[in-house]
Amino acid sequence: MALVRLPLFERRISLKVYQLENTNGISMRFMNYGATVIAIETPDSRGEMDNIILSLPTPHDYTKEKTYLGATIGRVAGRIRVGEWTFPLEKNEGDNHCHGGTIGFESRFWDGEPFQEETRVGVRFTYHSPAFENGYPGNLTATVCHSLDHENNWRTTYTATTDATTLFNPTNHVYFNLAGSKENTIHNHTLTIQSDAYLPLTAENLPTGEIKNVQNTPFDLRTATPLQAVLASNHRDIQQSQGLNHPFILNNQQHSAATLTHPDTGRQISIITTAPAVIAYTGNHFNQDFTLSTGQKVTKYAGIALETQQLPDAIHHPNFGNIILQPDQPFYSETTYQFSLK
Ligand code: BGC
């Protein structure tokens, strides 16, 4: 089985798109702006191909619209309360810092280096973030490697090194809608997350500090649960966020963390990660703000992001894990998304 890589086009000097394909008919497109995944085409159970992620119409649109669709998020994904760490981070969401600052990893040009191995094809993206970019100390070199193999696994690996103590907690912000262009919300999907505990949020979407058991709540996703039911729940935490926007603590790392299924098309994605948590976000804020590649305006619940990472605002909660990166401790994390048909 041969895997093919096509350097697609170089429309503007700086914008580069890479296509990865495998012989099972799956193709993925990435671009150097934000080390972003801009399309994933997979067959459904009838063999029909469709793009299963939320995308903008053209690569250039990503440089004009700030949507985070498919992008690499960093240096730190999620929210941090500003002012209580050694260095003041940029406040870009009220009094807080979110997704690495106004011009985070998602809005930077990364160097892309395609590669082909016997069983996989991929692109390794590198970005040098200078000291005090968006307030973060340390000259940091980050890499994100995206690859696709024969067995329909999309693997993402993150590495980073720094020359001074800093914070680091990256993720990818791809939104899935496995119905492709057939349905413009994710209501008819089921979701499983292998997690006994989730974090409730404040009105500013910061963790309150509590860790709650999922038992007898709509956050109990340990068996496949229709998203329709979760989104319709009158549970206080769902109502406050108008859907899911919550960190789940994973029961096991490097085992199946989450599975998203669209029963009608048969498409399924299982996520395996070394990260300790996943943030499930159901696109609660989308409100016709931009046009998708389908030609439709984006609507609330158009897609679901399953962001593997450490817990948000970990720096202020000793029991949330450690996101401090030291010069002598290179960072590594890995997440695999397995595409299958059910
Ligand atoms: C956050 C949401 C936010 C979205 C887009 C998600 O990771 O949890 O609160 O609206 O990203 O920025």
Side-chain angles (χ1 to χ4, degrees), residues 45-100:
S45 50
R46 289 172 281 266
E48 279 178 41
M49 301 298 293
D50 214 340
N51 177 23
I52 59 161
I53 65 170
L54 301 190
S55 305
L56 296 182
T58 71
H60 186 57
D61 292 330
Y62 289 78
T63 64
K64 296 186 294 184
E65 303 267 12
K66 176 91 153 183
T67 64
Y68 295 111
L69 299 192
T72 306
I73 309 296
R75 297 185 188 190
V76 175
R79 294 173 179 82
I80 304 178
R81 214 159 12 102
V82 170
E84 292 169 45
W85 195 56
T86 329
F87 290 93
L89 297 172
E90 185 204 359
K91 292 182 183 178
N92 63 325
E93 196 188 73
D95 277 338
N96 304 318
H97 177 88
C98 186
H99 288 341

Short mmCIF file of all heavy atoms in Angstrom, two decimals, residues 45-100:
data_model
loop_
_atom_site.label_atom_id
_atom_site.label_comp_id
_atom_site.label_asym_id
_atom_site.label_seq_id
_atom_site.Cartn_x
_atom_site.Cartn_y
_atom_site.Cartn_z
N SER A 45 -20.39 4.92 5.43
CA SER A 45 -20.60 3.48 5.26
C SER A 45 -21.14 3.14 3.87
O SER A 45 -21.13 1.98 3.48
CB SER A 45 -21.52 2.94 6.35
OG SER A 45 -22.66 3.74 6.43
N ARG A 46 -21.59 4.14 3.11
CA ARG A 46 -22.02 3.89 1.73
C ARG A 46 -20.90 4.23 0.72
O ARG A 46 -21.10 4.18 -0.47
CB ARG A 46 -23.26 4.72 1.42
CG ARG A 46 -24.51 4.22 2.13
CD ARG A 46 -25.69 5.17 1.96
NE ARG A 46 -25.57 6.30 2.85
CZ ARG A 46 -26.13 6.38 4.06
NH1 ARG A 46 -26.87 5.39 4.52
NH2 ARG A 46 -25.96 7.45 4.82
N GLY A 47 -19.75 4.63 1.26
CA GLY A 47 -18.62 4.95 0.38
C GLY A 47 -18.60 6.39 -0.09
O GLY A 47 -17.75 6.76 -0.90
N GLU A 48 -19.51 7.19 0.42
CA GLU A 48 -19.53 8.60 0.00
C GLU A 48 -18.52 9.42 0.80
O GLU A 48 -18.47 9.33 2.02
CB GLU A 48 -20.93 9.19 0.21
CG GLU A 48 -21.88 8.85 -0.91
CD GLU A 48 -23.27 9.41 -0.67
OE1 GLU A 48 -23.38 10.55 -0.19
OE2 GLU A 48 -24.22 8.66 -0.94
N MET A 49 -17.75 10.22 0.06
CA MET A 49 -16.71 11.03 0.70
C MET A 49 -17.27 12.38 1.15
O MET A 49 -18.13 12.94 0.50
CB MET A 49 -15.57 11.32 -0.29
CG MET A 49 -14.90 10.11 -0.88
SD MET A 49 -14.11 9.11 0.37
CE MET A 49 -12.80 10.22 0.88
N ASP A 50 -16.77 12.86 2.27
CA ASP A 50 -17.15 14.21 2.71
C ASP A 50 -16.09 14.72 3.67
O ASP A 50 -15.33 13.93 4.26
CB ASP A 50 -18.51 14.17 3.41
CG ASP A 50 -19.33 15.43 3.15
OD1 ASP A 50 -18.74 16.47 2.77
OD2 ASP A 50 -20.56 15.37 3.33
N ASN A 51 -16.04 16.04 3.79
CA ASN A 51 -15.15 16.67 4.76
C ASN A 51 -15.83 16.62 6.13
O ASN A 51 -16.94 17.11 6.29
CB ASN A 51 -14.90 18.12 4.33
CG ASN A 51 -14.04 18.87 5.32
OD1 ASN A 51 -13.28 18.28 6.09
ND2 ASN A 51 -14.15 20.20 5.32
N ILE A 52 -15.16 16.04 7.12
CA ILE A 52 -15.80 15.80 8.42
C ILE A 52 -15.38 16.79 9.50
O ILE A 52 -15.59 16.54 10.68
CB ILE A 52 -15.52 14.35 8.89
CG1 ILE A 52 -14.01 14.10 9.02
CG2 ILE A 52 -16.17 13.35 7.94
CD1 ILE A 52 -13.66 12.92 9.88
N ILE A 53 -14.73 17.90 9.08
CA ILE A 53 -14.39 18.93 10.07
C ILE A 53 -14.93 20.28 9.60
O ILE A 53 -15.21 20.46 8.41
CB ILE A 53 -12.87 19.04 10.32
CG1 ILE A 53 -12.13 19.50 9.06
CG2 ILE A 53 -12.31 17.71 10.82
CD1 ILE A 53 -10.66 19.85 9.30
N LEU A 54 -15.08 21.21 10.52
CA LEU A 54 -15.48 22.56 10.12
C LEU A 54 -14.27 23.24 9.49
O LEU A 54 -13.19 23.26 10.07
CB LEU A 54 -15.96 23.37 11.33
CG LEU A 54 -17.15 22.81 12.11
CD1 LEU A 54 -17.65 23.86 13.12
CD2 LEU A 54 -18.29 22.37 11.20
N SER A 55 -14.48 23.77 8.28
CA SER A 55 -13.39 24.42 7.53
C SER A 55 -13.89 25.74 6.98
O SER A 55 -15.09 25.92 6.77
CB SER A 55 -12.99 23.56 6.33
OG SER A 55 -12.65 22.26 6.71
N LEU A 56 -12.95 26.62 6.70
CA LEU A 56 -13.28 27.86 5.98
C LEU A 56 -13.16 27.58 4.49
O LEU A 56 -12.49 26.62 4.08
CB LEU A 56 -12.33 28.99 6.41
CG LEU A 56 -12.44 29.40 7.89
CD1 LEU A 56 -11.49 30.56 8.19
CD2 LEU A 56 -13.87 29.79 8.25
N PRO A 57 -13.79 28.42 3.65
CA PRO A 57 -13.80 28.13 2.20
C PRO A 57 -12.41 28.03 1.58
O PRO A 57 -12.17 27.16 0.74
CB PRO A 57 -14.60 29.30 1.62
CG PRO A 57 -15.49 29.74 2.73
CD PRO A 57 -14.69 29.53 3.99
N THR A 58 -11.46 28.92 1.95
CA THR A 58 -10.13 28.87 1.34
C THR A 58 -9.07 29.01 2.43
O THR A 58 -9.34 29.57 3.49
CB THR A 58 -9.90 30.02 0.33
OG1 THR A 58 -9.78 31.24 1.08
CG2 THR A 58 -11.03 30.15 -0.67
N PRO A 59 -7.83 28.53 2.15
CA PRO A 59 -6.76 28.70 3.14
C PRO A 59 -6.56 30.17 3.54
O PRO A 59 -6.35 30.47 4.71
CB PRO A 59 -5.53 28.15 2.42
CG PRO A 59 -6.08 27.17 1.43
CD PRO A 59 -7.40 27.74 0.99
N HIS A 60 -6.68 31.05 2.56
CA HIS A 60 -6.47 32.48 2.83
C HIS A 60 -7.47 33.02 3.85
O HIS A 60 -7.15 33.91 4.65
CB HIS A 60 -6.55 33.24 1.51
CG HIS A 60 -6.20 34.68 1.63
ND1 HIS A 60 -4.99 35.10 2.13
CD2 HIS A 60 -6.92 35.80 1.37
CE1 HIS A 60 -4.98 36.42 2.15
NE2 HIS A 60 -6.14 36.87 1.71
N ASP A 61 -8.68 32.45 3.87
CA ASP A 61 -9.71 32.93 4.82
C ASP A 61 -9.26 32.78 6.27
O ASP A 61 -9.69 33.54 7.14
CB ASP A 61 -11.02 32.15 4.62
CG ASP A 61 -11.66 32.48 3.29
OD1 ASP A 61 -11.49 33.61 2.81
OD2 ASP A 61 -12.33 31.59 2.73
N TYR A 62 -8.40 31.79 6.53
CA TYR A 62 -7.94 31.58 7.91
C TYR A 62 -7.09 32.75 8.41
O TYR A 62 -6.99 32.98 9.59
CB TYR A 62 -7.13 30.28 8.03
CG TYR A 62 -7.96 29.03 7.89
CD1 TYR A 62 -8.38 28.58 6.64
CD2 TYR A 62 -8.30 28.28 9.01
CE1 TYR A 62 -9.13 27.43 6.50
CE2 TYR A 62 -9.06 27.12 8.88
CZ TYR A 62 -9.47 26.70 7.63
OH TYR A 62 -10.21 25.56 7.51
N THR A 63 -6.46 33.46 7.47
CA THR A 63 -5.62 34.60 7.88
C THR A 63 -6.48 35.84 8.12
O THR A 63 -6.00 36.82 8.67
CB THR A 63 -4.55 34.92 6.81
OG1 THR A 63 -5.21 35.35 5.61
CG2 THR A 63 -3.67 33.73 6.51
N LYS A 64 -7.74 35.79 7.68
CA LYS A 64 -8.62 36.95 7.84
C LYS A 64 -9.59 36.78 8.99
O LYS A 64 -9.97 37.73 9.64
CB LYS A 64 -9.41 37.18 6.53
CG LYS A 64 -8.50 37.54 5.36
CD LYS A 64 -9.29 37.90 4.13
CE LYS A 64 -10.05 36.70 3.59
NZ LYS A 64 -10.77 36.92 2.34
N GLU A 65 -10.04 35.54 9.24
CA GLU A 65 -11.03 35.26 10.28
C GLU A 65 -10.35 34.58 11.45
O GLU A 65 -9.63 33.61 11.25
CB GLU A 65 -12.09 34.26 9.77
CG GLU A 65 -12.81 34.67 8.54
CD GLU A 65 -14.10 35.40 8.85
OE1 GLU A 65 -14.30 35.78 10.03
OE2 GLU A 65 -14.87 35.61 7.92
N LYS A 66 -10.62 35.05 12.66
CA LYS A 66 -10.06 34.38 13.85
C LYS A 66 -11.10 33.38 14.35
O LYS A 66 -12.05 33.76 15.02
CB LYS A 66 -9.80 35.46 14.91
CG LYS A 66 -9.32 34.92 16.20
CD LYS A 66 -7.86 34.88 16.21
CE LYS A 66 -7.31 34.99 17.60
NZ LYS A 66 -5.87 35.01 17.52
N THR A 67 -10.95 32.13 13.96
CA THR A 67 -11.97 31.13 14.31
C THR A 67 -11.41 29.98 15.15
O THR A 67 -12.18 29.24 15.74
CB THR A 67 -12.55 30.50 13.04
OG1 THR A 67 -11.50 29.78 12.37
CG2 THR A 67 -13.13 31.55 12.10
N TYR A 68 -10.11 29.81 15.14
CA TYR A 68 -9.41 28.68 15.78
C TYR A 68 -9.72 27.33 15.11
O TYR A 68 -9.25 26.30 15.57
CB TYR A 68 -9.72 28.58 17.28
CG TYR A 68 -9.22 29.75 18.10
CD1 TYR A 68 -10.10 30.65 18.68
CD2 TYR A 68 -7.86 29.94 18.30
CE1 TYR A 68 -9.65 31.72 19.44
CE2 TYR A 68 -7.39 31.00 19.06
CZ TYR A 68 -8.29 31.89 19.62
OH TYR A 68 -7.83 32.93 20.37
N LEU A 69 -10.51 27.31 14.04
CA LEU A 69 -10.87 26.03 13.41
C LEU A 69 -9.61 25.25 13.03
O LEU A 69 -8.79 25.74 12.26
CB LEU A 69 -11.68 26.23 12.12
CG LEU A 69 -13.03 26.93 12.14
CD1 LEU A 69 -13.75 26.75 10.80
CD2 LEU A 69 -13.90 26.47 13.27
N GLY A 70 -9.47 24.06 13.56
CA GLY A 70 -8.38 23.15 13.17
C GLY A 70 -6.98 23.57 13.57
O GLY A 70 -6.00 22.89 13.24
N ALA A 71 -6.85 24.69 14.28
CA ALA A 71 -5.53 25.27 14.50
C ALA A 71 -4.81 24.68 15.71
O ALA A 71 -5.42 24.11 16.61
CB ALA A 71 -5.66 26.78 14.68
N THR A 72 -3.50 24.88 15.71
CA THR A 72 -2.69 24.58 16.89
C THR A 72 -2.88 25.74 17.87
O THR A 72 -2.79 26.90 17.47
CB THR A 72 -1.21 24.47 16.49
OG1 THR A 72 -1.11 23.52 15.44
CG2 THR A 72 -0.35 24.04 17.67
N ILE A 73 -3.12 25.40 19.13
CA ILE A 73 -3.36 26.43 20.14
C ILE A 73 -2.19 26.42 21.13
O ILE A 73 -1.81 25.37 21.63
CB ILE A 73 -4.67 26.15 20.91
CG1 ILE A 73 -5.85 25.92 19.95
CG2 ILE A 73 -4.97 27.30 21.87
CD1 ILE A 73 -6.24 27.08 19.10
N GLY A 74 -1.65 27.60 21.42
CA GLY A 74 -0.55 27.69 22.38
C GLY A 74 -0.09 29.13 22.53
O GLY A 74 -0.60 30.00 21.84
N ARG A 75 0.87 29.41 23.43
CA ARG A 75 1.58 28.36 24.16
C ARG A 75 0.68 27.58 25.12
O ARG A 75 0.96 26.42 25.40
CB ARG A 75 2.72 28.98 24.98
CG ARG A 75 3.79 29.66 24.14
CD ARG A 75 4.93 30.11 25.03
NE ARG A 75 5.88 30.92 24.29
CZ ARG A 75 7.06 31.29 24.77
NH1 ARG A 75 7.43 30.90 25.99
NH2 ARG A 75 7.87 32.03 24.06
N VAL A 76 -0.35 28.22 25.66
CA VAL A 76 -1.21 27.50 26.60
C VAL A 76 -2.65 27.58 26.11
O VAL A 76 -3.19 28.67 25.93
CB VAL A 76 -1.10 28.08 28.04
CG1 VAL A 76 -2.09 27.40 28.98
CG2 VAL A 76 0.32 27.90 28.57
N ALA A 77 -3.26 26.42 25.89
CA ALA A 77 -4.67 26.37 25.48
C ALA A 77 -5.56 26.65 26.68
O ALA A 77 -5.20 26.38 27.82
CB ALA A 77 -4.97 25.00 24.91
N GLY A 78 -6.73 27.20 26.40
CA GLY A 78 -7.69 27.46 27.47
C GLY A 78 -7.35 28.73 28.23
O GLY A 78 -6.50 29.52 27.81
N ARG A 79 -8.02 28.90 29.35
CA ARG A 79 -7.92 30.18 30.07
C ARG A 79 -6.98 30.11 31.27
O ARG A 79 -6.89 29.08 31.93
CB ARG A 79 -9.30 30.61 30.54
CG ARG A 79 -10.18 30.94 29.36
CD ARG A 79 -11.61 31.20 29.69
NE ARG A 79 -12.30 31.53 28.45
CZ ARG A 79 -12.76 30.61 27.59
NH1 ARG A 79 -12.64 29.33 27.85
NH2 ARG A 79 -13.33 30.98 26.47
N ILE A 80 -6.33 31.26 31.50
CA ILE A 80 -5.49 31.43 32.69
C ILE A 80 -5.90 32.74 33.33
O ILE A 80 -6.04 33.75 32.64
CB ILE A 80 -3.98 31.51 32.33
CG1 ILE A 80 -3.53 30.28 31.54
CG2 ILE A 80 -3.14 31.69 33.58
CD1 ILE A 80 -2.06 30.32 31.12
N ARG A 81 -6.14 32.70 34.64
CA ARG A 81 -6.40 33.93 35.37
C ARG A 81 -5.09 34.73 35.36
O ARG A 81 -4.04 34.19 35.70
CB ARG A 81 -6.77 33.57 36.80
CG ARG A 81 -7.76 34.46 37.42
CD ARG A 81 -8.48 33.81 38.61
NE ARG A 81 -7.97 32.58 39.15
CZ ARG A 81 -7.26 32.48 40.27
NH1 ARG A 81 -6.91 33.56 40.94
NH2 ARG A 81 -6.89 31.29 40.72
N VAL A 82 -5.14 36.00 34.94
CA VAL A 82 -3.89 36.76 34.80
C VAL A 82 -3.49 37.41 36.11
O VAL A 82 -4.34 37.76 36.91
CB VAL A 82 -4.03 37.82 33.68
CG1 VAL A 82 -2.86 38.77 33.66
CG2 VAL A 82 -4.14 37.12 32.33
N GLY A 83 -2.21 37.59 36.31
CA GLY A 83 -1.74 38.43 37.40
C GLY A 83 -1.13 37.71 38.57
O GLY A 83 -0.53 38.31 39.42
N GLU A 84 -1.31 36.38 38.60
CA GLU A 84 -0.80 35.68 39.77
C GLU A 84 0.36 34.76 39.43
O GLU A 84 0.74 33.92 40.21
CB GLU A 84 -1.93 34.91 40.46
CG GLU A 84 -2.92 35.87 41.06
CD GLU A 84 -4.17 35.18 41.51
OE1 GLU A 84 -4.06 34.12 42.13
OE2 GLU A 84 -5.25 35.70 41.21
N TRP A 85 0.89 34.91 38.23
CA TRP A 85 2.07 34.12 37.91
C TRP A 85 3.25 35.08 37.80
O TRP A 85 3.09 36.31 37.76
CB TRP A 85 1.85 33.31 36.61
CG TRP A 85 2.87 32.23 36.46
CD1 TRP A 85 3.15 31.24 37.36
CD2 TRP A 85 3.77 32.07 35.38
NE1 TRP A 85 4.16 30.46 36.90
CE2 TRP A 85 4.57 30.95 35.68
CE3 TRP A 85 3.99 32.76 34.18
CZ2 TRP A 85 5.57 30.49 34.84
CZ3 TRP A 85 4.97 32.29 33.34
CH2 TRP A 85 5.75 31.17 33.66
N THR A 86 4.46 34.55 37.76
CA THR A 86 5.67 35.37 37.80
C THR A 86 5.68 36.49 36.77
O THR A 86 6.12 37.59 37.02
CB THR A 86 6.89 34.46 37.54
OG1 THR A 86 6.58 33.19 38.05
CG2 THR A 86 8.13 35.01 38.14
N PHE A 87 5.18 36.18 35.55
CA PHE A 87 5.19 37.17 34.48
C PHE A 87 3.76 37.45 34.06
O PHE A 87 2.95 36.54 33.95
CB PHE A 87 5.99 36.66 33.28
CG PHE A 87 7.44 36.59 33.57
CD1 PHE A 87 8.00 35.41 34.04
CD2 PHE A 87 8.25 37.71 33.41
CE1 PHE A 87 9.35 35.35 34.34
CE2 PHE A 87 9.59 37.65 33.71
CZ PHE A 87 10.15 36.47 34.17
N PRO A 88 3.44 38.74 33.82
CA PRO A 88 2.06 39.04 33.41
C PRO A 88 1.81 38.59 31.98
O PRO A 88 2.52 39.00 31.06
CB PRO A 88 1.97 40.56 33.54
CG PRO A 88 3.37 41.06 33.52
CD PRO A 88 4.29 39.93 33.91
N LEU A 89 0.85 37.72 31.80
CA LEU A 89 0.47 37.29 30.45
C LEU A 89 -0.49 38.32 29.87
O LEU A 89 -1.15 39.05 30.61
CB LEU A 89 -0.20 35.91 30.51
CG LEU A 89 0.69 34.79 31.02
CD1 LEU A 89 -0.13 33.51 31.23
CD2 LEU A 89 1.82 34.52 30.04
N GLU A 90 -0.56 38.34 28.56
CA GLU A 90 -1.48 39.28 27.90
C GLU A 90 -2.93 38.96 28.28
O GLU A 90 -3.34 37.80 28.27
CB GLU A 90 -1.31 39.09 26.38
CG GLU A 90 -2.10 40.08 25.59
CD GLU A 90 -2.42 39.58 24.17
OE1 GLU A 90 -2.00 38.47 23.80
OE2 GLU A 90 -3.10 40.32 23.47
N LYS A 91 -3.69 40.01 28.61
CA LYS A 91 -5.13 39.81 28.87
C LYS A 91 -5.84 39.97 27.54
O LYS A 91 -5.91 41.06 26.99
CB LYS A 91 -5.65 40.86 29.84
CG LYS A 91 -5.10 40.74 31.24
CD LYS A 91 -5.72 41.79 32.15
CE LYS A 91 -5.09 41.69 33.53
NZ LYS A 91 -5.58 42.70 34.46
N ASN A 92 -6.35 38.90 27.01
CA ASN A 92 -7.04 39.01 25.71
C ASN A 92 -8.49 38.57 25.79
O ASN A 92 -9.17 38.49 24.78
CB ASN A 92 -6.30 38.24 24.62
CG ASN A 92 -6.25 36.76 24.88
OD1 ASN A 92 -6.15 36.33 26.04
ND2 ASN A 92 -6.32 35.96 23.84
N GLU A 93 -8.96 38.27 27.01
CA GLU A 93 -10.39 37.94 27.18
C GLU A 93 -10.80 38.48 28.55
O GLU A 93 -10.58 37.81 29.57
CB GLU A 93 -10.61 36.43 27.09
CG GLU A 93 -12.07 36.09 26.87
CD GLU A 93 -12.35 34.61 26.97
OE1 GLU A 93 -12.31 34.08 28.11
OE2 GLU A 93 -12.60 33.96 25.95
N GLY A 94 -11.30 39.69 28.58
CA GLY A 94 -11.60 40.33 29.87
C GLY A 94 -10.33 40.43 30.67
O GLY A 94 -9.29 40.90 30.16
N ASP A 95 -10.37 39.96 31.90
CA ASP A 95 -9.18 40.01 32.75
C ASP A 95 -8.33 38.75 32.61
O ASP A 95 -7.38 38.56 33.37
CB ASP A 95 -9.60 40.16 34.22
CG ASP A 95 -9.86 41.63 34.55
OD1 ASP A 95 -9.33 42.50 33.82
OD2 ASP A 95 -10.60 41.88 35.50
N ASN A 96 -8.68 37.91 31.68
CA ASN A 96 -7.99 36.61 31.58
C ASN A 96 -7.20 36.49 30.28
O ASN A 96 -7.35 37.30 29.37
CB ASN A 96 -9.02 35.48 31.68
CG ASN A 96 -9.83 35.59 32.96
OD1 ASN A 96 -9.28 35.88 34.02
ND2 ASN A 96 -11.13 35.41 32.86
N HIS A 97 -6.40 35.45 30.27
CA HIS A 97 -5.60 35.11 29.09
C HIS A 97 -6.22 33.86 28.49
O HIS A 97 -6.54 32.92 29.22
CB HIS A 97 -4.17 34.85 29.58
CG HIS A 97 -3.22 34.43 28.53
ND1 HIS A 97 -2.50 35.33 27.77
CD2 HIS A 97 -2.84 33.20 28.11
CE1 HIS A 97 -1.72 34.67 26.94
NE2 HIS A 97 -1.91 33.38 27.12
N CYS A 98 -6.43 33.86 27.18
CA CYS A 98 -7.07 32.68 26.57
C CYS A 98 -6.33 32.25 25.30
O CYS A 98 -5.93 33.10 24.49
CB CYS A 98 -8.53 32.99 26.23
SG CYS A 98 -9.43 31.55 25.62
N HIS A 99 -6.15 30.94 25.15
CA HIS A 99 -5.58 30.34 23.94
C HIS A 99 -4.26 31.01 23.52
O HIS A 99 -4.00 31.24 22.33
CB HIS A 99 -6.58 30.41 22.78
CG HIS A 99 -7.74 29.45 22.93
ND1 HIS A 99 -7.73 28.36 23.77
CD2 HIS A 99 -8.97 29.42 22.32
CE1 HIS A 99 -8.88 27.71 23.68
NE2 HIS A 99 -9.66 28.33 22.82
N GLY A 100 -3.42 31.35 24.51
CA GLY A 100 -2.06 31.81 24.21
C GLY A 100 -1.93 33.28 23.86
O GLY A 100 -0.83 33.74 23.57
#
